[in-house]
Amino acid sequence: MINLKEFEAWFVTGSQHLYGEETLNQVAEHSLAIARSLDNGSQIPVRVVFKPVVKTPEEILRLCQEANTAPGCIGIIAWMHTFSPAKMWIGGLKALKKPLAHLHTQYNRDIPWGEIDMDFMNLNQSAHGDREFGFMMSRMRMNRKVVVGHWEEAETLQQLGVWSRAAVAWYNSQGMKVARFGDNMREVAVTDGDKVEAELVFGYSVNGYGIGDLVKVVNQVSDASIDQTVQEYEDRYRVMDSLRKGGDRHSALRDAAKIEIGLRQFLQAGNFKAFTDTFEDLHGMVQLPGIAVQRLMNEGYGFGGEGDWKTSALVHTMKIMAAGLPGGNSFMEDYTYHFEPGNAQVLGSHMLEICESIADDKPACEIHPLGIGGKADPVRLVFNSAPGPALNVSVVDMGNRFRMIVNEVEAIPPRQALPKLPVARVLWKPLPDMKTGCAGWILAGGAHHTGYSQNLTVEHIQDFAEMAGVEFVLIGKDTSLHDLKNELRWNDLYYHVFNK
Ligand code: MN
């Protein structure tokens, strides 16, 4: 889907001329060693590129301007080995448009007790040099990530890795195109929103296309390519007998393949990374796109049902962030509850469109009636999802700002078979518990649609929210409704005061 090694974070060390040439050479040597080590660490999926030590306001400004325009540069990892008076950074930081991670580290792990002298103290000053740098960014109200720890420590690398994944997703979000077939599901509130503001804040554009434009492409799909895709279905999934070659519903499988191929061609031709459709507006389509959406999501495309462009963009962004990690990310919807005392659960699913990447086994390929939409029965993949920690993420438009909400959940295996439920699904328990988790989500205005992730953490999403400068609300193991209600009230005030 995406090769993270095509992206680079610049490792930038600040200093000043006060110390003289010899000290500055040592600073550069140490910086190079750290940058190389970060670059070689498996925890950081992007390249880390060493940049010469900056010592003047002019050098700092030039470097920040270069970072802004350099293709593939996702942001800056900054470290003040020595004292770098922070007024020198004002111009550069004002100009910087890319994310910044402040690595608060020092070259030596331990104090060399027997050897330490004033020369050593003169060289190794990050304990206070980084505080000076931090003050300036706080004074400027700059969002950034602060990572504290020795540069060889696994946790330090892990945190920088998380930040770099969020920064790649942020980079990718700039200029990303979302195709919207038809409009919003009629009268639905949470899936709608301000697309102009979304482009200003997140960088992606959402534009509508008549379903006829897509149908035209679908109708031109060749029989030979349908044969090929049908064969892939038969090889890859447990295709039910009636859908197989010679089965009485086989033509429906061919129709589904034709929709998938046409949809993919349309998205590729327009360089779209995400899309939405709505069952109310699919004139000329034989079936609702079911397996087509599931497989396209598995290839990395974002999707949101019922015209939900915010979730569609979010799902693609989450897939970029998680590139190469085991586990998957999918469009999801809270569907039905199990309110058994002490064992309450949520059944998450959608009519059809759950991504194959979260399947715990070889999916079944089946055809069943849908009940809404007024089309021929759609072909879909049916599966359960693996147990384990997971996340639901929602982006909502609060009128004066976007709010990102995360609920940590624990996915659990279904206790019983669901023989009559012909859709892909997940069972989970929200944290901290069913009642607090659901009440918190509803109080925060979280949507019924989410991006569901098996492999991202709260930290990934929070880092991304800070890069976007949007409100971030966490409902997790430590959430209390009392505190959450206050947080939401105070956030309202904060965004009323600080939003431009
Ligand atoms: Mn829905």
Side-chain angles (χ1 to χ4, degrees):
M1 178 177 68
I2 192 168
N3 176 9
L4 296 175
K5 287 290 174 206
E6 287 174 9
F7 299 93
E8 55 189 46
W10 289 4
F11 189 79
V12 176
T13 310
S15 189
Q16 60 178 328
H17 280 298
L18 178 77
Y19 304 105
E21 212 49 41
E22 196 186 328
T23 301
L24 285 175
N25 286 340
Q26 270 180 294
V27 168
E29 242 175 67
H30 290 173
S31 301
L32 183 60
I34 294 177
R36 280 195 180 145
S37 170
L38 299 183
D39 189 41
N40 292 331
S42 59
Q43 295 97 327
I44 301 178
V46 301
R47 280 179 293 133
V48 177
V49 175
F50 169 78
K51 291 286 162 182
V53 178
V54 286
K55 306 163 294 288
T56 66
E58 293 75 20
E59 286 175 1
I60 292 166
L61 176 61
R62 201 177 316 125
L63 181 119
C64 291
Q65 288 169 335
E66 280 170 19
N68 286 344
T69 55
C73 172
I74 57 157
I76 284 177
I77 301 171
W79 172 53
M80 305 301 121
H81 189 343
T82 47
F83 202 76
S84 180
K87 286 203 276 185
M88 297 197 311
W89 283 85
I90 291 175
L93 292 176
K94 267 169 75 180
L96 185 66
K97 299 284 184 217
K98 289 198 172 160
L100 188 145
H102 182 185
L103 174 59
H104 185 45
T105 192
Q106 67 183 14
Y107 183 69
N108 55 300
R109 194 195 71 175
D110 299 340
I111 293 175
W113 306 104
E115 312 297 323
I116 188 165
D117 58 10
M118 280 319 291
D119 283 346
F120 184 93
M121 295 282 273
N122 200 29
L123 177 64
N124 298 283
Q125 301 190 19
S126 50
H128 64 275
D130 273 331
R131 282 174 160 76
E132 165 76 357
F133 183 60
F135 163 74
M136 183 48 70
M137 285 184 291
S138 291
R139 166 77 193 255
M140 294 171 74
R141 275 63 170 182
M142 266 182 71
N143 285 350
R144 77 280 190 186
K145 179 164 189 153
V146 180
V147 177
V148 181
H150 191 253
W151 49 280
E152 289 176 305
E153 194 186 311
E155 195 184 346
T156 305
L157 292 161
Q158 178 65 28
Q159 283 187 279
L160 288 172
V162 166
W163 173 84
S164 66
R165 285 181 173 277
V168 170
W170 176 246
Y171 182 95
N172 181 73
S173 189
Q174 311 313 306
M176 164 180 154
K177 292 171 72 181
V178 182
R180 197 167 187 236
F181 299 112
D183 199 87
N184 203 50
M185 180 177 165
R186 290 175 202 121
E187 307 287 8
V188 177
V190 78
T191 50
D192 225 323
D194 186 339
K195 299 196 286 290
V196 176
E197 189 63 16
E199 189 161 348
L200 284 165
V201 171
F202 294 106
Y204 62 73
S205 66
V206 183
N207 285 295
Y209 294 85
I211 195 71
D213 297 337
L214 174 59
V215 168
K216 196 175 154 200
V217 180
V218 169
N219 286 342
Q220 285 166 357
V221 170
S222 71
D223 280 343
S225 54
I226 296 174
D227 291 344
Q228 205 180 352
T229 299
V230 164
Q231 188 59 50
E232 201 182 319
Y233 292 169
E234 298 211 7
D235 294 344
R236 193 175 163 97
Y237 310 115
R238 294 180 285 120
V239 179
M240 70 198 295
D241 287 343
S242 63
L243 284 177
R244 288 185 168 270
K245 282 182 202 101
D248 61 352
R249 309 298 303 275
H250 183 63
S251 66
L253 191 69
R254 294 187 66 84
D255 288 340
K258 190 172 173 179
I259 292 169
E260 175 186 321
I261 298 161
L263 196 45
R264 185 182 293 104
Q265 278 176 3
F266 188 99
L267 296 172
Q268 283 174 346
N271 195 26
F272 297 106
K273 304 296 181 197
F275 65 105
T276 75
D277 62 25
T278 175
F279 63 89
E280 288 175 330
D281 183 7
L282 288 172
H283 307 288
M285 300 281 274
V286 182
Q287 303 172 11
L288 266 69
I291 188 171
V293 173
Q294 294 178 289
R295 282 165 49 86
L296 286 164
M297 254 193 283
N298 195 38
E299 289 169 24
Y301 288 101
F303 177 79
E306 293 101 52
D308 188 347
W309 49 271
K310 292 192 297 298
T311 305
S312 178
L314 173 69
V315 167
H316 178 64
T317 290
M318 290 167 72
K319 283 175 175 287
I320 293 289
M321 242 184 276
L325 296 175
N329 291 270
S330 178
F331 174 57
M332 187 58 69
E333 179 165 316
D334 299 73
Y335 233 98
T336 300
Y337 289 148
H338 181 67
F339 266 137
E340 180 189 345
N343 190 30
Q345 302 163 17
V346 180
L347 176 69
S349 185
H350 205 256
M351 292 187 303
L352 302 167
E353 309 95 338
I354 299 299
C355 178
E356 192 188 332
S357 67
I358 65 167
D360 70 346
D361 202 0
K362 192 174 185 173
C365 178
E366 302 180 7
I367 185 164
H368 303 276
L370 193 62
I372 57 170
K375 302 281 173 195
D377 299 348
V379 175
R380 81 290 303 271
L381 299 174
V382 180
F383 52 83
N384 288 310
S385 187
L391 293 179
N392 275 311
V393 189
S394 175
V395 177
V396 293
D397 183 344
M398 296 302 289
N400 65 340
R401 66 187 188 276
F402 292 103
R403 170 180 281 167
M404 266 186 130
I405 309 156
V406 170
N407 186 198
E408 295 179 283
V409 304
E410 183 68 28
I412 54 172
R415 215 170 17 174
Q416 301 186 40
L418 301 153
K420 293 187 174 173
L421 184 69
V423 288
R425 63 267 169 155
V426 193
L427 277 168
W428 67 74
K429 294 183 171 188
L431 297 186
D433 57 71
M434 182 80 168
K435 292 190 179 194
T436 312
C438 293
W441 188 269
I442 284 170
L443 287 166
H448 55 286
H449 285 171
T450 58
Y452 176 86
S453 181
Q454 295 175 320
N455 51 20
L456 295 173
T457 62
V458 170
E459 195 181 345
H460 288 102
I461 309 297
Q462 185 163 26
D463 283 359
F464 182 85
E466 295 211 358
M467 289 169 193
V470 299
E471 182 185 2
F472 177 79
V473 174
L474 171 63
I475 300 163
K477 62 178 177 14
D478 299 323
T479 295
S480 87
L481 284 182
H482 173 80
D483 291 347
L484 181 72
K485 282 184 185 179
N486 279 335
E487 179 183 340
L488 296 173
R489 282 192 195 103
W490 295 335
N491 284 1
D492 266 332
L493 183 62
Y494 172 89
Y495 286 95
H496 185 69
V497 172
F498 286 104
N499 254 18
K500 290 185 280 286

